[in-house]
Amino acid sequence: MTAQPPANGHDHGHDHGHDHGPAAHSGAAATPLKMVIGGKLVDAADGQTFDVVSPVDGRVIVSVPKGGAEDVDRAVKAAQRAFDGEWHTWSQTRRGQTLARFATLIRQHLEELAQLESENMGKPISSARWEIGAVANVMEYYGGAANKLMGETIPVSKPGFDFTLREPIGVVGLIVPWNFPLMLASWKMGPALAAGNTAILKPASYTPLTAIRVAELALEAGFPPGVLNVVTGPGSVAGAAIAAHPGIGKVAFTGETATGQEIMRAAAGNIKKISLELGGKSPNVVFADADLERFAAEAPYSVFDNCGQDCCARSRILVERSVHDEVVELLAAATLKVKVGDPADDATEVGTMVSFRQRQNVLDYIRMAGEEGAHVVVGGGIPTDPALANGAYVQPTIFDRVTSRMRIAQEEVFGPVVAIIPFDTEEEAIRLANDTPYGLSGSVWTRDIAKAIRTAKGIQSGVISINCNSSVHAEAPFGGYKMSGTGRENGMHAFESYTQIKNVYIDLS
Ligand code: NAD
């Protein structure tokens, strides 16, 4: 299949119509893109489209099909045909080899995909390159895992032979958000395809471009038509249709907790298997005996990277009171050095928000935090640099004098905003860390290894890092406790979640 015309482009869509910035341009946009269903490039059944808009300058980049329930149904039928057809006859080794080829193609197209992601979402090009590389790594990991999917033999009490088979679920629905568009899609596509399922991927309306392009690359890699389909369209229509469709056996979702709850309800209709990766309000716990210089150099990136639009953002800094003033000073100095700017610039560390609407949400949180009595240490608004006037930029912002009951300490801002809360004892640090409905991620900084492990064990979250920011690896399980979700992505845990176990017993008597 030939590639669609290059989409040079950017974000937009969400469910709510246009989201142009202050200086929206109306220049000629690229040729409209199409969805990928059953190996073909198609329009929405009713011919509707929506615009993808740049958060960097408000320009319409391209339009994409506004898929709905009828398109989801077409995709489910195509995916079911593929599941019952040639794909069914493939060995696990062949599936793995095809995933490896897919990984190679993604690497060969790394720059193109990174440009699309950066332009579409406003993330710095350097981050986008890293993410596309990570997508290829995930495909390689599951390519290698495909033929290591094994069953068991079980010594039962009857005189027979009992063994298990790990079988694919069938057609799976993969619904992803806009913050790491292709990377979060890869965490689902990789294990889903490696386990022998067929899939319908629905990207967020803001960021459909890389999903469409990668589905074309999947065909080029040799996956049979219908194994990977992409339906673009509003979550409330296309996403809801996936969550409710009786022909889909599992739905894997990443997004807001409230959306996850809706999906869980819709999935009940046919008892779909579900995995939900939801919101977070992760703590960054720093004890007085930590390497404070290193903490202050790294902590800003754990919340300001991706302009704070990261479910793992360590958006609460819990600091031992005896070093509070020193840590605030060090963090302020480090934050002022973070380079906010044009996402296309190699040196940029923080680009735009995904949209002007998201920026407004963040600005509203900043205002509310001030009203609740929190104190701005750095940032607190829109950058003053005139070169950034037309993009959805926000200053990296630190709030001090925050208490755990304030909204800024409880709710996911999903922007470059961090709240500093002091504590006096290890027990209080753990209590504060757990004092939100979420439990996704977090970090602990101390030179005392016993204290580090006690605190890591005390924090109710699916992922914790000690003396660093990173907690996500293609090889290791990732997911949330409490209202941050259910199920795990990455590693062999995710792989198994795209299978079901069949127990077979042979009577030998
Ligand atoms: P969102 O919930 O608004 O949308 C996510 C996806 O769901 C989109 O594709 C959207 O179109 C679709 N959707 C919306 N309504 C739907 C419905 N009723 N039924 C089915 N699908 C529907 O989330 P978002 O704003 O795109 O992403 C930000 C959120 O994602 C944040 O809360 C963030 O914490 C979370 N997130 C979580 C993780 C994680 O792994 N835990 C990772 C990244 C982002």
Side-chain angles (χ1 to χ4, degrees):
M1 190 183 65
T2 52
Q4 304 194 35
N8 304 327
H10 279 255
D11 146 293
H12 173 258
H14 227 200
D15 280 12
H16 322 288
H18 293 264
D19 187 22
H20 300 287
H25 298 252
S26 55
T31 313
L33 294 180
K34 294 182 190 283
M35 308 187 277
V36 181
I37 296 180
K40 297 203 167 61
L41 301 178
V42 299
D43 292 315
D46 62 8
Q48 285 201 58
T49 61
F50 63 91
D51 288 338
V52 175
V53 173
S54 162
V56 183
D57 56 11
R59 179 173 53 103
V60 174
I61 303 304
V62 68
S63 67
V64 302
K66 192 172 179 181
E70 200 179 331
D71 300 292
V72 167
D73 193 53
R74 275 200 290 170
V76 172
K77 290 191 173 114
Q80 188 63 53
R81 270 196 304 278
F83 185 77
D84 296 332
E86 186 196 337
W87 183 240
H88 188 71
T89 68
W90 280 29
S91 67
Q92 282 298 99
T93 297
R94 186 167 176 197
R95 289 183 180 134
Q97 288 166 338
T98 309
L99 272 164
R101 226 173 5 254
F102 190 29
T104 303
L105 275 172
I106 289 167
R107 277 213 187 87
Q108 285 168 356
H109 292 265
L110 189 145
E111 190 58 29
E112 175 198 350
L113 289 163
Q115 293 283 347
L116 281 178
E117 206 80 303
S118 168
E119 292 167 349
N120 192 170
M121 208 247 148
K123 71 172 72 218
I125 185 65
S126 56
S127 311
R129 287 187 186 117
W130 182 88
E131 284 170 34
I132 303 302
V135 169
N137 292 345
V138 168
M139 295 308 160
E140 222 157 48
Y141 175 85
Y142 286 109
N147 60 6
K148 283 124 200 130
L149 192 60
M150 290 179 235
E152 306 146 298
T153 59
I154 299 175
V156 293
S157 54
K158 292 263 167 62
F161 178 54
D162 192 284
F163 65 95
T164 59
L165 296 171
R166 284 233 169 234
E167 298 188 329
I169 292 164
V171 179
V172 297
L174 316 175
I175 303 176
V176 294
W178 43 257
N179 56 341
F180 297 99
L182 197 56
M183 198 169 87
L184 296 179
S186 76
W187 293 3
K188 299 170 176 56
M189 290 188 293
L193 301 185
N197 301 282
T198 56
I200 298 157
L201 170 64
K202 196 205 84 66
S205 310
Y206 280 132
T207 53
L209 303 185
T210 46
I212 293 175
R213 186 69 187 107
V214 91
E216 297 174 346
L217 295 178
L219 288 165
E220 206 176 315
F223 288 108
V227 167
L228 178 64
N229 306 278
V230 171
V231 173
T232 51
S236 56
V237 183
I242 289 173
H245 201 292
I248 294 179
K250 167 169 174 146
V251 62
F253 169 79
T254 300
E256 280 182 30
T257 294
T259 317
Q261 290 172 316
E262 275 185 54
I263 287 177
M264 214 167 180
R265 279 189 283 270
N270 67 325
I271 317 290
K272 277 186 191 66
K273 286 141 192 67
I274 48 173
S275 69
L276 304 172
E277 298 295 343
L278 309 175
K281 190 74 197 174
S282 299
N284 211 346
V285 181
V286 54
F287 287 99
D289 65 355
D291 180 342
L292 299 181
E293 304 267 340
R294 207 180 128 213
F295 167 78
E298 295 188 19
Y301 295 97
S302 73
V303 61
F304 302 142
D305 263 356
N306 213 34
C307 213
Q309 303 160 112
D310 183 344
C311 54
C312 289
R314 280 124 172 99
S315 54
R316 294 181 299 147
I317 291 176
L318 309 181
V319 55
E320 192 160 355
R321 202 178 300 275
S322 60
V323 291
H324 167 273
D325 293 354
E326 184 184 352
V327 165
V328 171
E329 210 169 291
L330 287 168
L331 280 173
T335 299
L336 288 170
K337 285 193 206 136
V338 172
K339 189 165 172 357
V340 180
D342 183 351
D345 184 341
D346 274 335
T348 291
E349 294 176 313
V350 172
T352 68
M353 305 280 311
V354 72
S355 70
F356 294 92
R357 180 177 290 115
Q358 287 299 323
R359 178 172 75 173
Q360 191 53 50
N361 289 346
V362 173
L363 295 174
D364 288 346
Y365 268 111
I366 290 174
R367 181 181 44 75
M368 280 186 297
E371 288 166 5
E372 284 187 295
H375 167 73
V376 174
V377 178
V378 173
I382 293 172
T384 49
D385 180 352
L388 306 182
N390 290 333
Y393 295 94
V394 187
Q395 291 173 323
T397 297
I398 301 177
F399 276 107
D400 192 15
R401 298 185 210 150
V402 176
T403 63
S404 193
R405 290 294 98 204
M406 290 181 187
R407 288 185 66 179
I408 199 85
Q410 287 292 318
E411 298 175 23
E412 187 179 42
V413 175
F414 229 54
V417 180
V418 68
I420 299 180
I421 304 174
F423 67 85
D424 289 303
T425 62
E426 190 180 314
E427 293 68 32
E428 190 187 9
I430 293 172
R431 187 182 58 71
L432 287 169
N434 291 334
D435 187 25
T436 80
Y438 296 111
L440 187 56
S441 186
S443 290
V444 180
W445 297 77
T446 169
R447 287 187 167 99
D448 177 341
I449 190 66
K451 191 180 345 182
I453 291 175
R454 279 195 307 269
T455 308
K457 286 178 75 171
I459 296 176
Q460 294 156 11
S461 74
V463 174
I464 282 279
S465 28
I466 295 174
N467 292 330
C468 65
N469 289 334
S470 82
S471 48
V472 176
H473 310 274
E475 305 84 358
F478 172 78
Y481 280 20
K482 293 158 68 180
M483 288 184 79
S484 289
T486 181
R488 291 292 177 271
E489 302 210 284
N490 291 336
M492 296 306 277
H493 295 79
F495 192 24
E496 293 193 349
S497 79
Y498 286 87
T499 68
Q500 44 198 350
I501 299 176
K502 181 176 283 171
N503 189 68
V504 183
Y505 174 71
I506 309 168
D507 187 349
L508 299 180
S509 66

PDB file of all heavy atoms in Angstrom, residues 370-386:
ATOM      1  N   GLY A 370      -3.891  29.692  43.734  1.00  0.00           N
ATOM      2  CA  GLY A 370      -3.635  30.996  44.356  1.00  0.00           C
ATOM      3  C   GLY A 370      -4.772  31.364  45.295  1.00  0.00           C
ATOM      4  O   GLY A 370      -4.540  31.814  46.436  1.00  0.00           O
ATOM      5  N   GLU A 371      -5.994  31.153  44.854  1.00  0.00           N
ATOM      6  CA  GLU A 371      -7.165  31.497  45.680  1.00  0.00           C
ATOM      7  C   GLU A 371      -7.207  30.654  46.956  1.00  0.00           C
ATOM      8  O   GLU A 371      -7.678  31.108  47.997  1.00  0.00           O
ATOM      9  CB  GLU A 371      -8.457  31.289  44.883  1.00  0.00           C
ATOM     10  CG  GLU A 371      -8.661  32.354  43.802  1.00  0.00           C
ATOM     11  CD  GLU A 371      -9.739  31.976  42.792  1.00  0.00           C
ATOM     12  OE1 GLU A 371     -10.414  30.929  42.970  1.00  0.00           O
ATOM     13  OE2 GLU A 371      -9.876  32.718  41.810  1.00  0.00           O
ATOM     14  N   GLU A 372      -6.704  29.422  46.863  1.00  0.00           N
ATOM     15  CA  GLU A 372      -6.720  28.545  48.049  1.00  0.00           C
ATOM     16  C   GLU A 372      -5.564  28.833  49.002  1.00  0.00           C
ATOM     17  O   GLU A 372      -5.442  28.191  50.043  1.00  0.00           O
ATOM     18  CB  GLU A 372      -6.666  27.067  47.622  1.00  0.00           C
ATOM     19  CG  GLU A 372      -7.987  26.552  47.077  1.00  0.00           C
ATOM     20  CD  GLU A 372      -7.944  25.046  46.821  1.00  0.00           C
ATOM     21  OE1 GLU A 372      -7.171  24.626  45.935  1.00  0.00           O
ATOM     22  OE2 GLU A 372      -8.676  24.309  47.500  1.00  0.00           O
ATOM     23  N   GLY A 373      -4.677  29.737  48.618  1.00  0.00           N
ATOM     24  CA  GLY A 373      -3.606  30.141  49.523  1.00  0.00           C
ATOM     25  C   GLY A 373      -2.234  29.583  49.198  1.00  0.00           C
ATOM     26  O   GLY A 373      -1.283  29.800  49.955  1.00  0.00           O
ATOM     27  N   ALA A 374      -2.108  28.864  48.073  1.00  0.00           N
ATOM     28  CA  ALA A 374      -0.774  28.385  47.688  1.00  0.00           C
ATOM     29  C   ALA A 374       0.024  29.578  47.143  1.00  0.00           C
ATOM     30  O   ALA A 374      -0.551  30.564  46.678  1.00  0.00           O
ATOM     31  CB  ALA A 374      -0.891  27.291  46.639  1.00  0.00           C
ATOM     32  N   HIS A 375       1.347  29.447  47.220  1.00  0.00           N
ATOM     33  CA  HIS A 375       2.210  30.581  46.876  1.00  0.00           C
ATOM     34  C   HIS A 375       3.057  30.221  45.645  1.00  0.00           C
ATOM     35  O   HIS A 375       3.745  29.200  45.639  1.00  0.00           O
ATOM     36  CB  HIS A 375       3.105  30.873  48.091  1.00  0.00           C
ATOM     37  CG  HIS A 375       4.239  31.781  47.812  1.00  0.00           C
ATOM     38  ND1 HIS A 375       4.068  33.138  47.609  1.00  0.00           N
ATOM     39  CD2 HIS A 375       5.568  31.540  47.684  1.00  0.00           C
ATOM     40  CE1 HIS A 375       5.244  33.687  47.372  1.00  0.00           C
ATOM     41  NE2 HIS A 375       6.171  32.735  47.410  1.00  0.00           N
ATOM     42  N   VAL A 376       3.002  31.072  44.616  1.00  0.00           N
ATOM     43  CA  VAL A 376       3.793  30.806  43.406  1.00  0.00           C
ATOM     44  C   VAL A 376       5.262  31.137  43.665  1.00  0.00           C
ATOM     45  O   VAL A 376       5.586  32.250  44.050  1.00  0.00           O
ATOM     46  CB  VAL A 376       3.318  31.676  42.216  1.00  0.00           C
ATOM     47  CG1 VAL A 376       4.239  31.497  41.022  1.00  0.00           C
ATOM     48  CG2 VAL A 376       1.905  31.332  41.821  1.00  0.00           C
ATOM     49  N   VAL A 377       6.125  30.131  43.429  1.00  0.00           N
ATOM     50  CA  VAL A 377       7.568  30.357  43.586  1.00  0.00           C
ATOM     51  C   VAL A 377       8.181  30.728  42.238  1.00  0.00           C
ATOM     52  O   VAL A 377       9.002  31.636  42.131  1.00  0.00           O
ATOM     53  CB  VAL A 377       8.262  29.086  44.138  1.00  0.00           C
ATOM     54  CG1 VAL A 377       9.762  29.298  44.268  1.00  0.00           C
ATOM     55  CG2 VAL A 377       7.651  28.680  45.459  1.00  0.00           C
ATOM     56  N   VAL A 378       7.763  29.996  41.198  1.00  0.00           N
ATOM     57  CA  VAL A 378       8.268  30.246  39.840  1.00  0.00           C
ATOM     58  C   VAL A 378       7.091  30.065  38.883  1.00  0.00           C
ATOM     59  O   VAL A 378       6.234  29.211  39.102  1.00  0.00           O
ATOM     60  CB  VAL A 378       9.365  29.206  39.464  1.00  0.00           C
ATOM     61  CG1 VAL A 378       9.763  29.340  38.007  1.00  0.00           C
ATOM     62  CG2 VAL A 378      10.588  29.349  40.333  1.00  0.00           C
ATOM     63  N   GLY A 379       7.064  30.829  37.813  1.00  0.00           N
ATOM     64  CA  GLY A 379       6.048  30.637  36.763  1.00  0.00           C
ATOM     65  C   GLY A 379       4.708  31.217  37.160  1.00  0.00           C
ATOM     66  O   GLY A 379       4.630  32.308  37.723  1.00  0.00           O
ATOM     67  N   GLY A 380       3.643  30.476  36.839  1.00  0.00           N
ATOM     68  CA  GLY A 380       2.307  30.927  37.231  1.00  0.00           C
ATOM     69  C   GLY A 380       1.512  31.549  36.107  1.00  0.00           C
ATOM     70  O   GLY A 380       0.486  32.184  36.345  1.00  0.00           O
ATOM     71  N   GLY A 381       1.958  31.366  34.860  1.00  0.00           N
ATOM     72  CA  GLY A 381       1.176  31.970  33.771  1.00  0.00           C
ATOM     73  C   GLY A 381       1.711  31.585  32.408  1.00  0.00           C
ATOM     74  O   GLY A 381       2.338  30.546  32.229  1.00  0.00           O
ATOM     75  N   ILE A 382       1.454  32.473  31.445  1.00  0.00           N
ATOM     76  CA  ILE A 382       1.861  32.248  30.053  1.00  0.00           C
ATOM     77  C   ILE A 382       3.232  32.913  29.867  1.00  0.00           C
ATOM     78  O   ILE A 382       3.450  34.005  30.401  1.00  0.00           O
ATOM     79  CB  ILE A 382       0.798  32.880  29.122  1.00  0.00           C
ATOM     80  CG1 ILE A 382      -0.520  32.103  29.271  1.00  0.00           C
ATOM     81  CG2 ILE A 382       1.261  32.927  27.686  1.00  0.00           C
ATOM     82  CD1 ILE A 382      -1.693  32.739  28.542  1.00  0.00           C
ATOM     83  N   PRO A 383       4.151  32.270  29.139  1.00  0.00           N
ATOM     84  CA  PRO A 383       5.466  32.897  28.953  1.00  0.00           C
ATOM     85  C   PRO A 383       5.335  34.287  28.301  1.00  0.00           C
ATOM     86  O   PRO A 383       4.446  34.502  27.474  1.00  0.00           O
ATOM     87  CB  PRO A 383       6.203  31.940  28.010  1.00  0.00           C
ATOM     88  CG  PRO A 383       5.487  30.645  28.120  1.00  0.00           C
ATOM     89  CD  PRO A 383       4.069  30.961  28.471  1.00  0.00           C
ATOM     90  N   THR A 384       6.225  35.178  28.670  1.00  0.00           N
ATOM     91  CA  THR A 384       6.123  36.548  28.149  1.00  0.00           C
ATOM     92  C   THR A 384       6.864  36.723  26.820  1.00  0.00           C
ATOM     93  O   THR A 384       6.675  37.723  26.137  1.00  0.00           O
ATOM     94  CB  THR A 384       6.709  37.539  29.175  1.00  0.00           C
ATOM     95  OG1 THR A 384       7.990  37.027  29.582  1.00  0.00           O
ATOM     96  CG2 THR A 384       5.805  37.661  30.394  1.00  0.00           C
ATOM     97  N   ASP A 385       7.717  35.757  26.446  1.00  0.00           N
ATOM     98  CA  ASP A 385       8.469  35.853  25.194  1.00  0.00           C
ATOM     99  C   ASP A 385       7.508  36.017  24.002  1.00  0.00           C
ATOM    100  O   ASP A 385       6.690  35.133  23.738  1.00  0.00           O
ATOM    101  CB  ASP A 385       9.296  34.557  25.047  1.00  0.00           C
ATOM    102  CG  ASP A 385      10.129  34.532  23.768  1.00  0.00           C
ATOM    103  OD1 ASP A 385       9.958  35.446  22.932  1.00  0.00           O
ATOM    104  OD2 ASP A 385      10.929  33.590  23.620  1.00  0.00           O
ATOM    105  N   PRO A 386       7.585  37.126  23.249  1.00  0.00           N
ATOM    106  CA  PRO A 386       6.650  37.350  22.127  1.00  0.00           C
ATOM    107  C   PRO A 386       6.723  36.245  21.073  1.00  0.00           C
ATOM    108  O   PRO A 386       5.727  35.965  20.389  1.00  0.00           O
ATOM    109  CB  PRO A 386       7.089  38.685  21.534  1.00  0.00           C
ATOM    110  CG  PRO A 386       8.181  39.217  22.387  1.00  0.00           C
ATOM    111  CD  PRO A 386       8.544  38.216  23.435  1.00  0.00           C
TER     112      PRO A 386
END
